[in-house]
Amino acid sequence: MNTEDIQHLRAAIRMAASAREHGNHPFGAVLVDETGQIILEAENTVISQHDITGHAETNLVRLAGQQFSFDKLARCTLYASTEPCAMCAGAIHWSHIGRVVYALSEEDLYAIVDPSPEHLLLHCRDVFAHSRQPMEVSGPCAELTSDARAVHEGFWK
């Protein structure tokens, strides 16, 4: 990961903090175009919108699909505060977004959350491995693990 990746992951973590401030699960995502500009931001809205699919990445993909072509999205990077779940990875696949970068790993998240039977333990790389479109995935980001964990501290108790 380079300094630009770190900068955009910090923005995704700030979105996760915003989601928590709004009473939602602490997850955030940003979409960055090929010039390095943030073009969309989204946070988790599961609780406030009463929508179990309101994950940050899925919300971001919905917005992106309404505003940008597949060609544009293929040149974009989605930055996520935490590794995208299987549902979000599927949405990212269908959007044609070309790259995913995340800060906190699924393992680190589940060390905090303590997975229950309703959790689907499936890495995003495993979902993307079944796609015929190219997908670059980077993460977790060791440099930001403590920052990415911090937005979850005390939330899941």
Side-chain angles (χ1 to χ4, degrees):
M1 288 188 204
N2 59 38
T3 53
E4 186 176 299
D5 290 333
I6 301 295
Q7 172 189 346
H8 294 311
L9 283 174
R10 289 186 195 284
I13 294 167
R14 283 192 299 275
M15 292 304 298
S18 177
R20 182 173 180 165
E21 289 169 8
H22 294 123
N24 290 295
H25 303 147
F27 299 99
V30 298
L31 188 66
V32 174
D33 70 11
E34 66 273 16
T35 70
Q37 298 300 308
I38 294 176
I39 56 174
L40 286 175
E41 299 176 321
E43 60 188 53
N44 182 289
T45 57
V46 167
I47 295 170
S48 63
Q49 298 293 317
H50 306 284
D51 178 1
I52 58 172
T53 67
H55 293 195
E57 300 91 338
T58 305
N59 288 339
L60 188 80
V61 166
R62 279 190 202 104
L63 293 170
Q66 293 168 357
Q67 297 181 40
F68 304 111
S69 69
F70 285 151
D71 289 340
K72 170 81 172 172
L73 293 174
R75 297 186 308 273
C76 290
T77 300
L78 186 150
Y79 290 88
S81 60
T82 304
E83 181 175 355
C85 72
M87 176 186 69
C88 292
I92 293 165
H93 159 80
W94 291 114
S95 75
H96 295 237
I97 291 170
R99 181 172 181 242
V100 171
V101 180
Y102 62 89
L104 190 69
S105 71
E106 183 179 68
E107 286 86 6
D108 283 337
L109 174 65
Y110 287 141
I112 299 166
V113 173
D114 189 24
S116 63
E118 69 262 11
H119 287 104
L120 180 59
L121 307 177
L122 183 63
H123 288 282
C124 69
R125 281 183 175 87
D126 295 332
V127 174
F128 297 137
H130 295 277
S131 173
R132 291 186 177 184
Q133 27 187 57
M135 172 61 71
E136 181 184 340
V137 180
S138 297
C141 178
E143 184 176 332
L144 295 179
T145 297
S146 62
D147 292 346
R149 286 181 65 95
V151 297
H152 293 277
E153 297 296 330
F155 180 85
W156 301 101
K157 306 261 184 267

